[in-house]
Structure formats: C-alpha cells, structure tokens
Amino acid sequence: MRKGKKFKYLEALKELDDILEFLQAEMVDVEVLSSKIKRAVELVEYCRRKINSTETEVKKVLEKFQKSEGDTLNESPEAD
C-alpha cells in the first residue's frame, strides 16, 4: 500500500478498476506492465484481508446478538 496514506477499500477497488482498464487497452505500455501487475496483487491482497476481517467482525456481532436474543427468550415472564 502507499506509505503515509491510510487506504480505503473502495479506493483500492477503484485503483484495481483503473489497472484493469489499462490492461484491457489495445496498446499496453510494457514498461509499466510489471509495476501495474505488482500493484494489482497488493490491492487484491489488501481487499481480501479487509473482507476477511470484516466477516470476522460481523460474525462476532451476530453471535453476541443471538446470545442476547437467546437470553431474552429464556427469561421467565414476571407474574402480574
């Protein structure tokens, strides 16, 4: 990733899209091809890590929510 700048997922996707457009061009500059491919690999790895960490966080939140829902359902109703 770029040093000194915190990268965002959507920015990474946009840059990947730009690289894809570059690669699909009829005239690809072979002088920059290698650096574009390396950058694309970095971006894909970043996106995968971000998706995996987000998935883990969501699972934790859902488990906590389900547990609290289960606790609420298991509470006995108070007599009026």
Side-chain angles (χ1 to χ4, degrees):
M1 305 315 328
R2 294 190 177 153
K3 294 183 184 198
K5 180 183 178 197
K6 188 83 172 169
F7 221 63
K8 303 276 188 208
Y9 181 79
L10 290 178
E11 292 172 343
L13 286 180
K14 169 70 174 107
E15 189 173 344
L16 276 169
D17 189 48
D18 293 344
I19 292 171
L20 181 61
E21 285 182 28
F22 169 83
L23 295 174
Q24 291 174 334
E26 288 184 32
M27 299 287 288
V28 175
D29 184 352
V30 294
E31 303 296 325
V32 243
L33 182 60
S34 178
S35 64
K36 293 283 187 182
I37 297 297
K38 288 176 185 176
R39 180 65 177 155
V41 169
E42 290 175 353
L43 292 166
V44 168
E45 289 173 347
Y46 167 80
C47 289
R48 283 184 180 158
R49 284 192 311 272
K50 190 67 174 168
I51 289 170
N52 288 338
S53 70
T54 301
E55 180 181 26
T56 300
E57 288 177 36
V58 169
K59 284 180 180 179
K60 287 178 184 178
V61 169
L62 289 176
E63 287 171 2
K64 189 174 181 180
F65 175 74
Q66 290 171 344
K67 183 182 179 320
S68 70
E69 282 292 302
D71 291 346
T72 303
L73 293 175
N74 291 331
E75 290 177 3
S76 58
E78 294 182 24
D80 289 332

